[in-house]
Amino acid sequence: MMNTTTDTLNQLETLQARCEAQEKEIAELKKQVKLLLEQLRLARHRQFGKSSERTTDDQLRLDLVFNEAEAEAQPEEEEPTFEMVTYQRRKKQPGQRDAMLADLPVERVEYRLSEEERICPCCGDVMSEAGVEIRRELIHIPAQTKVREHVQQQYACRTCDQQGTETPMVKAQMPKPPIPGSLASASMLAYVIDKKYVDGLPLFRLEQQFARQGLQLTRQTLANWVVLGTTRWLELMYNRLHEELLKRRYLHADETTLQVLHEPGRSAETTSYMWLYRSGQDGPAIVLFDYQETRSKEHPRRFLEGFGGYLHVDGYSGYHDIPGVKLVGCWAHARRKFHEAHTALPAEERKKPTAARIGLEYCNRLFKIERALKDMDPEQRHAQRQKLSRPVLDELWHGSGRRANRYCPRVPWGQAVSYCLNQWPKLTVFLEDGHLELDNNRSERSIKRFVIGRKNFLFANTPRGARASAIAYSLVETAKENGLDPYLYLEYLFERLPNIQTDDQTAMNDLLPWSDHLPDGIRRRTKKA
């Protein structure tokens, strides 16, 4: 009897242990299924959904959660006696077409009747002019390539030639070409670089374009022109801009991938990197690209040697420990994590006050505050951030800290919380100085042009070509940021640099994109792209 009872108890304990193990396994499998479903929804959204991360106030209105009455109250303002509801309709700006055509040359074509055609059908007299109707249209003149011959006259003294032992000879002064012995003029070099690095046109398409004009300029020739023009002349301006960049106090940095086929000791499939460094709001814009074979932290340390100030970055650890540099985190990246966590939720959960939705709303509040402060001077912006932004950060920090241990770091929400907690010291640095920015979007906008161009040319052939591309992108993007026409600016540089003393600091400063000595004609007449 005792043995039977003992066996029964052992069986019950075994069954209970098995049941607990199965329940634990089921719970773990449910977590994995939930994680996989979230990843599937997020992957589908990335492939088929809208790329914009914009949200509206109505989408994420959580009044009770965020104590909106206290957050939005402004006791110093007088209470209005009535409320006016208005809306704005976007209208066509008057004179917009006239302003667009103002600087273009006009070709006037007049249509008149002969005296016989102006006979009045009623009385037979000749009709007088009574007004005109004008129709305007844009005429496109295709690009034209022509040959320019530089004829340098030489002079000799005939008297000395007949009577003396030496014959003095002099030559008329002639400007030096950018590439001696080449057909490439300053305008041709500027055109090829502008088409490749501004319009994203691959060289083989440029080769076809010139072929239609009867010019057999191979892509190898065009590539040689690009490399020689950038490394021989534009690199001088690149180095000068680099010196100016290191003098600034507020910088931004980012990096993206690049494939270079013929790197010594590396396979063609190996990933290389294009690093971007650009200025902030303190002074004229400078945008510099730097090609490197790896993503090592040594590259930003080397490039920024001598810089001491704030550097806006994303969460990549390669920017850590740069001497004399304080890193500023990017709230756009933090917000993107919350947005992805919110997108990964089932549709019926997205309208509920979930943790992902709450975190996204905190980020939205920070960006809303920044939009309201954008026109203030740095001192005012700094003061308002202490008053408005710091309380939002305190709420987000305490809320994230409470929830950090309750979520798996593998799920999107856990990744968002982990990112914020790990990056928090850098994410709060923007409170220190009104010149600092809430995000690193300034560098992401600058590197976007390279990313778009990469989709067309896909890869660089050699490290020298990748270096030339970095220099070319730097000059054209800096020119655009300073309101210059990239083609006209490049043409001016290729005309001037071969004919000045490049070690003359004053002469080089006169060629900087923000110099007052640049011709007015190279400044853009339209808004920046």
Side-chain angles (χ1 to χ4, degrees), residues 158-372:
R158 297 304 181 190
T159 302
C160 291
D161 185 33
Q162 294 175 1
Q163 301 176 5
T165 58
E166 296 181 359
T167 304
M169 297 188 66
V170 295
K171 297 180 180 180
Q173 191 172 7
M174 182 172 65
K176 297 178 182 178
I179 304 178
S182 170
L183 290 174
S185 65
S187 61
M188 182 62 81
L189 285 176
Y191 179 78
V192 173
I193 294 175
D194 179 77
K195 285 299 177 183
K196 179 173 173 60
Y197 297 104
V198 178
D199 297 336
L201 197 65
L203 292 182
F204 81 89
R205 293 183 183 171
L206 266 176
E207 177 185 25
Q208 295 172 346
Q209 175 183 311
F210 286 126
R212 291 192 293 269
Q213 301 178 30
L215 293 173
Q216 301 305 317
L217 297 174
T218 66
R219 72 193 72 175
Q220 183 63 51
T221 298
L222 299 177
N224 290 338
W225 287 359
V226 170
V227 171
L228 289 173
T230 52
T231 57
R232 182 175 295 184
W233 300 117
L234 298 187
E235 188 170 10
L236 298 173
M237 292 305 303
Y238 178 93
N239 294 335
R240 183 69 190 88
L241 291 170
H242 189 192
E243 294 173 6
E244 289 293 320
L245 187 75
L246 298 179
K247 298 177 183 178
R248 301 295 178 85
R249 181 167 174 76
Y250 311 98
L251 298 185
H252 297 250
D254 202 358
E255 75 288 335
T256 188
T257 58
L258 171 67
Q259 185 180 3
V260 182
L261 298 184
H262 297 99
E263 290 176 317
R266 309 181 83 203
S267 64
E269 295 79 14
T270 306
T271 299
S272 299
Y273 287 87
M274 189 70 80
W275 297 73
L276 171 105
Y277 307 90
R278 66 151 301 150
S279 59
Q281 301 185 52
D282 55 332
I286 301 174
V287 182
L288 298 182
F289 290 81
D290 181 40
Y291 154 72
Q292 295 294 341
E293 291 184 352
T294 67
R295 206 185 182 195
S296 169
K297 64 180 181 181
E298 295 302 319
H299 302 313
R301 288 172 64 94
R302 175 196 54 80
F303 194 92
L304 296 175
E305 184 177 357
F307 167 69
Y310 292 95
L311 180 65
H312 295 75
V313 295
D314 54 20
Y316 176 49
S317 61
Y319 298 104
H320 295 177
D321 303 322
I322 301 177
V325 173
K326 190 164 189 178
L327 301 182
V328 186
C330 177
W331 274 101
H333 280 77
R335 184 189 181 280
R336 189 171 300 139
K337 300 288 185 182
F338 286 110
H339 183 270
E340 290 177 350
H342 184 258
T343 303
L345 294 173
E348 62 274 10
E349 294 291 322
R350 295 175 192 167
K351 297 182 180 179
K352 298 179 181 179
T354 60
R357 187 176 177 184
I358 293 172
L360 181 57
E361 175 61 16
Y362 274 120
C363 296
N364 286 347
R365 289 173 65 185
L366 288 175
F367 280 96
K368 183 177 180 180
I369 292 171
E370 285 300 306
R371 287 193 295 270

